[in-house]
Amino acid sequence: MATDQQANAACVILSGTGADGTTGLRAIKENGGVCVVQQPESARYDGMPLSAVGTGLIDFVKPAGEILECLQGFFSRRAGREPNEAEASVVADHIDDMCRVLRTAIGHDFSGYKRSTLVRRVERRMHVLGIDTGRAYLNRIRNDANECDALFRDLLINVTRFFRDTEAFEMLRQRVVEPLMAGRPSDEDIRVWIPGCSSGEEAYSIAMMFAEAARLSGEPLAVQIFATDIDEQMLSIAREGSYPASALADLPPPLRERYTIPHAERFQIAPAIRDMIRFSSHSLVKDPPFSRIDLVSCRNLLIYFDDQLQQSVIPLFHYALRPGGFLFLGPSESVGRFEHLFQPIDQQARLFERAPGAPNYPIDLPGSGRQPVPRRGRDGSGPTSSHGSENLAIRRLVERYAPASLIVDQDGAIISAYGKLGRYFEFPVTRTGGSSAVNLARPGLRAVIGPLLRQARDERRRVVARDVDVEGDYGVQPTEVICDPLGDGTLLFVFRDTGPFHSSDPSELQDLERGDDHMEALEDELRLTRHRLRSAIEELETANEELKSSNEEMMSMNEELQSTNEELTTVNDELKSKVDQLTVANSDLRNFYESTDLAVIVLDADLKVRNYTEAATAIFPLKPADRGRLLTDVASRLNGAGHLDDARAVAGGAPATQRRVSTIDGQHVYSLRVLPYRTQSGEVAGASLVLTDITDALSLERELADERERLDLAIKAAGIGVWEYCPETGETVLDGVERRMFDIDAAEAGRIDPLMERIDPEDRDAVRAALIDAVARNEDYEATFRVRGEDGEVRWVKGFGRTVAGSVPPRLVGVSIDVTPEYALAETRELMLREMNHRVKNLFAVIAGMITVAARTHDAIPELATDLRTRIAALGRAHSLASPAGEPQAVGLEDVVSATLAPYRDHAEITIEGPPVALDRGCLSPLALILHEWATNAVKYGVLGTHGAGRLTVRWQTDEDGIALEWSEEGPARAEVAASRRGFGSILVETSMRQLRGTMTSAFTDTMFRLDMRLPATVMAHD
């Protein structure tokens, strides 16, 4: 939230124990948010409020009931005065005055801080106090020392943590800490300077890294760390070395266990680490730097300095470091244009190495009002003194006697200037004119300096421009310009006059009279005297700096002694606290041993009993007097001595073991775990035997195995396939029944795609959607689909499945059942119902036609009813033949004829003969109606009405064209039938014959009547 909302974030610390809110408080404060804490006196538990107030980062301390109103007021004031350029400029107009007030009241100068940071922090304090104008806030800090202190702490932004930017610290360990420890001379200490250490987390982090490197390499820990800051409150926290328990999360576990001392809600840095660090008040801006330093760690401090202050501070680091020393900066910081002083080791980690060679630059201490010179020895002699004199001579020669010259970069920006350049360049009073040599050159010179720069830069050789007339305010100066490339990529411009100055008005000039040589000599003497006096003053200042540095070290030593006394007091308190904790721990351990059901025996390296639980006495008859006795001398109810061998091996350094052991009587089985007994330092000093009674668990395991075997038998007997599917990976696990059901081999059973290819394309999408829904909605899977085998056989399969709870990635487990017989039965039933429906429809259609025709041919209703009844009865008999119970079968022609003539068996001699012929069930009703009409006519007019005097023969034959059926009546003369009137029966026969696509002929004599019917092959049933 702090990173996302920046200044819009708010941190509220309420009643509670511990210091968990401190981490969030620092993050909110670092990003410009507001922090409010409940008044500790009004809190039920004041642990968290007191910890927050102790950080010094709190803006408001309010009772709980006033916090909401306080936040509303703060944000409403800021919302009502949205920062804009006009307001910011008004505040910026008073920034210099505010810095002067702070410098007077606090003693520290913030004028070198970035203006935007100063303006933002001042506006924030104005919002907190409800002040509307910069002038009003200036008056406030002039008259309120507490507000001066609050603004001072707000400007410092004391936000840090252990091992901030873990990757950068890891690179520091590999490239700096370990090489320094490996290359340290035996008679020298490693010196580390950490300016801007705040509350000390960074200093302790680096100290832990050096301590760990010394421990791993076996080298003595000869490291001095100077951690400095200008905030005494933060230095007090750093010296105490006590931090909230939540900060432990930033420490690597090995360092956390080795170099911290945990308390209830806080932890303290181990004394060995604290002894490495000297915390002292020191200003990087105004105080002399430390010297002979191996590592300078200045992280996230330069980002608050403006460019000018950064250019003053970075040479200080170069001066403080030994040749080959290291500079460690924050992730947003760099060495700027001082790349020639520091060579990058790891650019991403902002890790640099000091370039070799003595300093050749003037060190500027901002805020000191002086220009330091290189240091010299106490006796005024030695290499330092000679180098300083040589440098002064060279500088004097360049500034006074050498031609005017410039050093520029490849873009023409001025880096250094020597000599009097006023006749060649126009230097503005302010900085707004820029620093480009081309832009500042006077007319005449401006036209040639650009081409000279480009040619020398591109060709990498010296280029000269002669007879260049430089136009000044009072005339023209003939000049020769030389551009000489230097080895570091910069270019040197040298300007030499080639002739006298030509005035624009010669009458205004007058030559100097001879005879003034003594004045020049006096001026030279005066100049030399001033030079010597300045050198003496600089040497004195250097000596004063050394004395001041020594005095500061003595003050640091006094503070360390005072801190040592405080630490001794703290140690006494810690010892008392540890005794209390040890008493509680012993009580907890005793209660554990007495109450646990686990049988635990703790042994030393010689297998002597250290301690045991009450449950262990059921296996080993131990008594309190047996502590210190060899376990081998104690009777045991266990079968064998394998537990002793395991304990002996583990106590000797073998890894932990686990086995099953049983009692001698075989009534109990135990799970025996033998674990190493480790001391506080991690060394193995014995073994622990832990026995768990698993008799009931083994019995339950056997029962489960029996149940699983019965379940497997049931699944195999029922032909149920079991499967497992992972939707994310597409992997499947199939048993043998499932593979046979889908007709795939074991090689294809590992993926879902072969199974999907076996599923009918019409069902495939539905199955895939059901699987996806089951996983997405955590529901049961159910689907019915068709599976086509390699031979084309189609099976109906019904699948059930369920998501395994807690599986990652999600998995489905289910079964598949072959339901092909059920679907075949259902299809047969449906087919029969459709056929029956069709026949009933046809039957009703025939009956409707019979009624329609009979209504036209009958006049009497009784006769109509009798006629329809007999014909419907014939249809019923034919329908009963077509609809037998059980499996549908073909209907034979002989059965149809026999069923039609059965009511007339006693009317005449009836002969039925012909080969077996199976009829199509759709042709049964028309054929039955035709035979019924012939039989009815035979009763009315033929042999079936003679009561035994005639003979009826029905015979048929089959060939490729169909069936030829003959109806022959022999007997008395057939009764006359009116030829002029066609009855209902004749019409019904003709209609039925057309349905069968057959033909019929008739012939008769006095004693014989014959009907011949020819039916096509389509009336016969085909398998």
Side-chain angles (χ1 to χ4, degrees):
M1 183 178 72
T3 305
D4 179 62
Q5 295 298 322
Q6 299 287 326
N8 294 325
C11 175
V12 179
I13 305 295
L14 299 175
S15 172
T17 59
D20 296 339
T22 305
T23 304
L25 166 66
R26 291 180 181 275
I28 295 292
K29 192 70 173 180
E30 182 180 10
N31 289 275
V34 62
C35 301
V36 186
V37 65
Q38 181 180 356
Q39 196 173 39
E41 294 80 5
S42 66
R44 183 174 182 182
Y45 302 102
D46 60 358
M48 290 179 65
L50 287 176
S51 175
V53 172
T55 63
L57 303 176
I58 294 301
D59 297 307
F60 301 101
V61 179
K62 298 286 185 181
E66 300 178 8
I67 290 179
L68 182 59
E69 181 181 356
C70 174
L71 289 175
Q72 289 176 342
F74 174 81
F75 285 108
S76 63
R77 287 192 298 270
R78 198 180 67 180
R81 298 174 60 250
E82 283 295 332
N84 50 50
E85 292 187 4
E87 181 181 347
S89 63
V90 171
V91 175
D93 290 342
H94 301 282
I95 287 295
D96 294 332
D97 294 334
M98 294 178 187
C99 290
R100 283 193 289 271
V101 173
L102 281 178
R103 183 169 61 248
T104 302
I106 306 297
H108 295 288
D109 186 9
F110 288 91
S111 60
Y113 269 46
K114 289 182 178 178
R115 307 292 283 187
S116 58
T117 301
L118 291 172
V119 170
R120 188 168 60 251
R121 289 290 163 175
V122 169
E123 288 178 347
R124 186 181 174 283
R125 290 302 305 166
M126 291 169 60
H127 294 157
V128 170
L129 300 174
I131 297 177
D132 296 330
T133 64
R135 182 174 297 279
Y137 185 74
L138 177 60
N139 294 330
R140 175 66 178 267
I141 62 175
R142 281 174 175 169
N143 301 316
D144 189 347
N146 293 330
E147 180 57 27
C148 274
D149 188 67
L151 178 59
F152 167 67
R153 300 191 187 284
D154 218 30
L155 290 173
L156 294 181
I157 313 177
N158 291 303
V159 179
T160 183
R161 66 174 186 268
F162 291 99
F163 292 96
R164 191 175 186 179
D165 304 320
T166 308
E167 296 80 2
F169 271 92
E170 177 62 21
M171 188 58 62
L172 177 70
R173 181 187 65 81
Q174 296 177 7
R175 305 296 296 273
V176 176
V177 175
E178 294 179 353
L180 282 177
M181 291 299 299
R184 179 187 67 85
S186 58
D187 58 342
E188 292 186 9
D189 291 347
I190 296 175
R191 294 166 59 87
V192 181
W193 180 23
I194 305 174
C197 67
S198 188
S199 50
E201 285 91 336
E202 180 183 342
Y204 285 125
S205 300
I206 294 177
M208 291 179 192
M209 294 175 66
F210 275 103
E212 187 69 6
R215 186 186 69 84
L216 295 176
S217 64
E219 296 288 336
L221 185 58
V223 179
Q224 293 184 9
I225 298 178
F226 304 98
T228 63
D229 202 278
I230 62 175
D231 191 343
E232 285 292 345
Q233 184 176 351
M234 290 295 107
L235 289 174
S236 299
I237 297 174
R239 292 190 186 101
E240 184 180 357
S242 178
Y243 300 97
S246 58
L248 283 172
D250 297 327
L251 290 172
L255 303 184
R256 182 191 314 163
E257 297 175 1
R258 193 169 289 115
Y259 301 119
T260 63
I261 302 173
H263 297 291
E265 297 171 351
R266 301 180 69 83
F267 72 94
Q268 193 165 31
I269 304 299
I273 301 300
R274 294 165 61 190
D275 291 343
M276 298 170 57
I277 306 175
R278 306 289 182 266
F279 290 102
S280 61
S281 178
H282 178 277
S283 174
L284 188 63
V285 175
K286 69 176 184 178
D287 293 330
F290 289 82
S291 61
R292 297 181 295 109
I293 299 297
D294 295 286
L295 168 63
V296 172
S297 176
C298 182
R299 309 189 76 239
N300 304 310
L301 176 61
L302 299 181
I303 56 176
Y304 301 110
F305 292 176
D306 62 12
D307 184 63
Q308 182 179 0
L309 186 54
Q310 289 185 18
Q311 293 180 15
S312 300
V313 169
I314 292 178
L316 290 179
F317 294 154
H318 185 269
Y319 170 81
L321 285 168
R322 293 178 178 179
F326 300 95
L327 175 62
F328 188 32
L329 299 180
S332 301
E333 298 169 338
S334 66
V335 296
R337 65 182 182 86
F338 293 99
E339 295 178 352
H340 60 289
L341 300 181
F342 295 97
Q343 299 175 356
I345 298 177
D346 189 296
Q347 191 67 41
Q348 185 174 2
R350 297 298 190 268
L351 198 56
F352 304 89
E353 182 179 5
R354 183 190 188 276
N360 56 358
Y361 47 83
I363 299 178
D364 180 18
L365 292 177
S368 64
R370 58 180 179 80
Q371 297 290 335
V373 298
R375 305 173 73 170
R376 56 183 296 174
R378 295 182 180 270
D379 55 358
S381 60
T384 303
S385 178
S386 62
H387 283 305
S389 299
E390 181 180 355
N391 291 337
L392 286 173
I394 293 175
R395 177 172 293 276
R396 181 62 54 81
L397 180 64
V398 169
E399 290 180 352
R400 295 191 177 181
Y401 306 105
S405 56
L406 280 179
I407 296 179
V408 300
D409 61 14
Q410 295 190 359
D411 296 323
I414 298 174
I415 297 177
S416 301
Y418 306 97
K420 299 179 180 180
L421 295 166
R423 66 178 67 180
Y424 310 110
F425 294 89
E426 297 176 350
F427 291 101
V429 177
T430 64
R431 298 183 182 180
T432 57
S435 60
S436 172
V438 178
N439 295 335
L440 298 177
R442 290 186 178 274
L445 177 60
R446 188 178 305 163
V448 301
I449 195 168
L452 275 176
L453 172 67
R454 288 190 293 271
Q455 184 175 350
R457 179 188 61 195
D458 297 337
E459 297 180 0
R460 305 302 302 168
R461 64 178 183 177
R462 189 171 58 176
V463 182
V464 62
R466 296 184 173 86
D467 300 327
V468 178
D469 293 333
V470 181
E471 300 177 8
D473 296 333
Y474 305 101
V476 176
Q477 176 64 57
T479 306
E480 180 183 79
V481 184
I482 302 172
C483 183
D484 191 0
L486 301 180
D488 58 353
T490 59
L491 298 100
L492 173 65
F493 276 95
V494 179
F495 307 90
R496 294 190 298 196
D497 297 341
T498 59
F501 179 79
H502 300 294
S503 175
S504 56
D505 188 1
S507 62
E508 296 180 358
L509 298 179
Q510 183 177 358
D511 294 334
L512 179 66
E513 296 180 358
R514 301 288 182 177
D516 294 333
D517 294 342
H518 64 285
M519 294 296 295
E520 292 181 3
L522 291 175
E523 288 176 357
D524 290 340
E525 265 185 53
L526 180 60
R527 211 177 291 119
L528 181 59
T529 303
R530 287 178 178 174
H531 169 68
R532 290 175 179 174
L533 179 60
R534 187 180 299 110
S535 298
I537 292 173
E538 290 171 351
E539 291 174 4
L540 179 61
E541 289 177 349
T542 301
N544 289 336
E545 289 176 7
E546 292 177 353
L547 291 175
K548 185 176 181 180
S549 179
S550 299
N551 186 36
E552 290 174 351
E553 291 183 5
M554 293 297 296
M555 292 177 63
S556 298
M557 294 177 63
N558 290 334
E559 292 176 357
E560 289 168 13
L561 291 175
Q562 183 179 357
S563 177
T564 302
N565 292 333
E566 295 173 355
E567 289 174 4
L568 290 176
T569 304
T570 304
V571 168
N572 289 333
D573 296 338
E574 290 175 358
L575 287 176
K576 182 180 178 181
S577 176
K578 285 187 178 295
V579 170
D580 296 338
Q581 293 176 6
L582 185 60
T583 303
V584 174
N586 288 333
S587 177
D588 294 343
L589 186 62
R590 184 179 66 254
N591 282 278
F592 168 75
Y593 276 126
E594 292 175 355
S595 61
T596 182
D597 293 333
L598 291 176
V600 181
I601 302 175
V602 182
L603 307 175
D604 63 9
D606 299 326
L607 300 190
K608 294 180 180 179
V609 177
R610 285 181 180 269
N611 215 332
Y612 59 89
T613 63
E614 186 66 26
T617 59
I619 305 172
F620 299 90
L622 294 168
K623 297 180 180 179
D626 291 330
R627 289 185 173 90
R629 183 182 176 187
L630 288 172
L631 186 64
T632 55
D633 298 339
V634 179
S636 171
R637 295 186 177 89
L638 296 179
N639 188 11
H643 61 286
L644 296 175
D645 297 334
D646 291 347
R648 191 174 291 107
V650 172
T657 62
Q658 184 170 359
R659 67 160 69 191
R660 292 181 181 178
V661 295
S662 60
T663 56
I664 297 174
D665 56 8
Q667 296 295 322
H668 293 276
V669 179
Y670 294 92
S671 172
L672 171 63
R673 296 176 61 213
V674 183
L675 306 171
Y677 178 87
R678 300 185 183 275
T679 62
Q680 186 71 17
S681 61
E683 298 178 356
V684 177
S688 299
L689 278 64
V690 182
L691 294 102
T692 307
D693 192 344
I694 58 173
T695 306
D696 296 337
L698 290 176
S699 177
L700 180 60
E701 182 180 351
R702 287 191 292 270
E703 293 178 3
L704 289 175
D706 294 341
E707 290 293 335
R708 177 171 294 179
E709 185 176 356
R710 286 193 290 271
L711 179 61
D712 291 341
L713 290 175
I715 290 175
K716 291 179 181 178
I720 299 175
V722 182
W723 51 268
E724 183 176 339
Y725 170 51
C726 179
E728 288 190 9
T729 62
E731 297 177 353
T732 57
V733 179
L734 312 179
D735 67 349
V737 177
E738 187 78 5
R739 292 197 299 270
R740 289 192 296 273
M741 191 178 298
F742 279 82
D743 194 14
I744 61 176
D745 54 22
E748 298 177 322
R751 303 293 300 174
I752 191 65
D753 296 335
L755 274 72
M756 286 296 177
E757 292 176 358
R758 289 286 189 270
I759 298 176
D760 190 274
E762 296 181 359
D763 302 333
R764 194 174 297 159
D765 293 339
V767 173
R768 186 176 286 108
L771 288 171
I772 294 174
D773 290 345
V775 174
R777 301 178 182 177
N778 197 20
E779 298 176 350
D780 290 347
Y781 157 75
E782 182 177 350
T784 304
F785 50 88
R786 289 164 291 181
V787 175
R788 296 186 180 273
E790 290 286 351
D791 54 358
E793 180 185 1
V794 178
R795 293 190 184 93
W796 282 92
V797 176
K798 192 172 188 67
F800 301 92
R802 178 170 294 176
T803 305
V804 179
S807 59
V808 179
R811 292 183 297 112
L812 283 172
V813 175
V815 297
S816 297
I817 304 173
D818 191 343
V819 295
T820 303
E822 289 82 352
Y823 268 81
L825 179 60
E827 289 178 354
T828 302
R829 186 184 302 112
E830 184 179 359
L831 179 63
M832 292 178 64
L833 289 175
R834 287 201 304 268
E835 183 177 356
M836 190 64 67
N837 184 39
H838 175 69
R839 290 184 179 180
V840 169
K841 289 181 181 179
N842 289 342
L843 185 60
F844 279 119
V846 171
I847 293 174
M850 291 167 53
I851 294 173
T852 302
V853 175
R856 292 198 298 265
T857 57
H858 291 76
D859 296 330
I861 293 177
E863 182 182 356
L864 173 63
T866 301
D867 196 5
L868 289 175
R869 188 181 304 110
T870 57
R871 286 176 170 81
I872 292 173
L875 288 175
R877 289 192 295 273
H879 184 72
S880 63
L881 289 175
S883 305
E887 186 69 23
Q889 299 177 357
V891 180
L893 178 58
E894 182 178 358
D895 296 334
V896 177
V897 175
S898 298
T900 304
L901 299 179
Y904 312 111
R905 285 290 184 182
D906 55 348
H907 288 204
E909 181 182 354
I910 300 175
T911 302
I912 301 173
E913 58 184 15
V917 177
L919 298 176
D920 184 87
R921 303 168 71 86
C923 302
L924 187 57
S925 295
L927 182 59
L929 286 176
I930 292 173
L931 295 176
H932 173 71
E933 290 301 322
W934 286 356
T936 302
N937 290 335
V939 171
K940 291 180 179 180
Y941 310 111
V943 295
L944 297 182
T946 59
H947 302 285
R951 176 180 178 183
L952 173 61
T953 301
V954 181
R955 62 171 61 89
W956 61 85
Q957 294 179 350
T958 61
D959 54 22
E960 294 180 355
D961 297 332
I963 302 173
L965 186 143
E966 175 186 341
W967 176 288
S968 177
E969 300 179 18
E970 296 181 4
R974 189 175 179 85
E976 293 292 335
V977 182
S980 60
R981 182 172 178 268
R982 295 173 64 244
F984 169 66
S986 300
I987 297 173
L988 188 60
V989 168
E990 291 176 1
T991 303
S992 300
M993 190 64 68
R994 284 196 300 271
Q995 292 180 1
L996 297 175
R997 293 183 178 84
T999 59
M1000 184 184 69
T1001 59
S1002 61
F1004 63 90
T1005 60
D1006 292 339
T1007 59
M1008 189 267 296
F1009 176 76
R1010 177 177 174 179
L1011 292 170
D1012 293 310
M1013 180 171 56
R1014 185 72 182 180
L1015 298 176
T1018 56
V1019 302
M1020 293 186 291
H1022 300 281
D1023 294 338

